[in-house]
Amino acid sequence: QVQLVESGGGLVQAGGSLRLSCAPSGRIFSFIAMGWFRQAPGKEREFVAAINWSGGITYYTDSVKGRFTISRDNAKNTVYLQMNSLKPEDTAVYYCAARSSSGIATMVTEYIYWGQGTQVTVSS
């Protein structure tokens, strides 16, 4: 069983930055792919970014490319989402998710472990 705990959300003005962290439990962290998703009110949960087990492969949804960076520190058992140049449309609850395998994925159904979510609000 893998438990995920997110932190780092908050309120920021447009153009600002936030860094989200996710600390999965369990020794399998180093061997599994991780992802970040978000869900705005009234909308479906959507893919934001993913990283493979080693950190050597990353993938982003088009709307965050060049602004967000996903990374991981396997020694610290933590995955990060650095969010720069934030826009009001980035406002959502952000979820950390883990797969049961090492390769990246972009669909909600490909992830089996989920955090409780952290609110990110970007004011205009």
Side-chain angles (χ1 to χ4, degrees):
Q1 185 71 18
V2 176
Q3 294 182 329
L4 310 179
V5 179
E6 302 109 331
S7 61
L11 172 65
V12 64
Q13 289 187 335
S17 298
L18 285 173
R19 188 176 79 160
L20 306 183
S21 299
C22 175
S25 64
R27 299 181 64 182
I28 65 171
F29 172 74
S30 298
F31 307 103
I32 60 176
M34 302 292 296
W36 287 96
F37 290 74
R38 66 187 180 188
Q39 187 167 17
K43 295 187 177 181
E44 293 186 352
R45 191 168 299 187
E46 66 172 359
F47 170 77
V48 176
I51 190 166
N52 76 326
W53 71 276
S54 68
I57 300 174
T58 59
Y59 189 76
Y60 301 90
T61 192
D62 286 346
S63 62
V64 307
K65 285 180 181 177
R67 300 189 298 122
F68 290 11
T69 302
I70 187 171
S71 62
R72 66 191 296 161
D73 186 335
N74 287 347
K76 295 183 178 180
N77 237 32
T78 304
V79 63
Y80 304 97
L81 184 67
Q82 177 67 45
M83 306 185 294
N84 298 328
S85 302
L86 282 161
K87 304 175 181 180
E89 51 263 44
D90 294 318
T91 295
V93 176
Y94 282 71
Y95 295 90
C96 174
R99 301 197 69 206
S100 60
S101 59
S102 60
I104 62 173
T106 63
M107 297 181 65
V108 170
T109 54
E110 295 177 294
Y111 289 79
I112 60 172
Y113 302 110
W114 292 86
Q116 80 286 354
T118 185
Q119 177 70 47
V120 171
T121 303
V122 184
S123 63
S124 58

